[in-house]
Structure formats: C-alpha cells, structure tokens
Amino acid sequence: MYDQPRANPSLAATAMTFDQMLERVRYEGAYPTRERAEAAARTVLAALGRQIIGDERVDLAQCLPVEAALVLTAQIPDPEQLTGWGFVKDMAGRNGTTPAIARWDTGAVLAVVSRLAGPDLLARILHQLPGGYALLFGRAELRQHQPAA
C-alpha cells in the first residue's frame, strides 16, 4: 500500500499561494519588484531541490505552494551534497552572480521556506544536510559538523 501524504500541522492556518509567497520573499529580500523576488525564489528552490532527498523532499514540497513545489521537485538531486557555503558558491556560479548576491537571495527565500516548513520538518531537513545550512535558513548552527572518515 502507498503512503498517504502527510499534512504539516503547522501549516493548517498558514497555507499560502505562490503570489503570497513571492510577496514574502520580496519583503524579506527588500527586492524592488515581484519579478526579482520570483527569480530569486526559483533559483534558490531549484538549488535546494538538488540537495534534499527522501521524505524530507516530499514533505517540503507538500508545504510549498504548487508552483514552488514544482520548481523544487523538478531538480535531480546531486550525488554529492554541498556544504552551506558550497551551496551559495554553486548558486552564484550557475547564475553568474556574486556569492554575496547568492547569499542574500538564499536568506530571503529560505526564511520564507522555513516558516512554511515548520520547526519539525526544518529540523529533519537540517539533520539531512551537511553543515552550514542552518544559517542559510536563519537558524543557529547547533551541531558540530563531523568530517567524513
């Protein structure tokens, strides 16, 4: 039998449309236009989609507006996960921007994503990813990164 989709209880009263999500991203990033906020959102969600796998990927997609979920899940996960700083540098390289701009975009988008995901799912996502992502999501890095043996 197939698993049934799991609802995120923290989202019951806070589900939002893609337009509402973009307005929040626009506010967080102080972007001058909705188009600039949308470009940042699509870029960051695509990059995140290359890093998250498994149930966390599915559960996060369920928390996002449909358009955002499609951007996230359209990506094939990279075989090797990047650190938080590697994530920012990779985004900058793929989009021809500076690491500073990529970091700004990441912070603006992931602040909204973390609110949509809720604390439990966000904790699971951060546990799955290498060190450095907590800061990108606006959280303190509470675990020590263990180098691979």
Side-chain angles (χ1 to χ4, degrees), residues 54-73:
D55 288 342
E56 288 75 20
R57 179 184 173 100
V58 173
D59 292 346
L60 180 58
Q62 289 177 339
C63 295
L64 299 174
V66 173
E67 297 91 337
L70 290 174
V71 172
L72 178 87
T73 59

Side-chain angles (χ1 to χ4, degrees), residues 37-114:
E38 183 172 356
R42 289 183 181 279
T43 299
V44 173
L45 289 169
L48 189 61
R50 291 188 293 273
Q51 298 301 308
I52 298 177
I53 59 172
D55 288 342
E56 288 75 20
R57 179 184 173 100
V58 173
D59 292 346
L60 180 58
Q62 289 177 339
C63 295
L64 299 174
V66 173
E67 297 91 337
L70 290 174
V71 172
L72 178 87
T73 59
Q75 304 304 308
I76 297 170
D78 286 338
E80 186 174 326
Q81 288 183 318
L82 301 170
T83 64
W85 177 237
F87 178 84
V88 170
K89 289 192 313 187
D90 182 64
M91 264 187 34
R94 287 177 187 257
N95 297 303
T97 65
T98 66
I101 291 171
R103 174 61 182 94
W104 184 269
D105 291 348
T106 300
V109 175
L110 294 185
V112 176
V113 169
S114 70

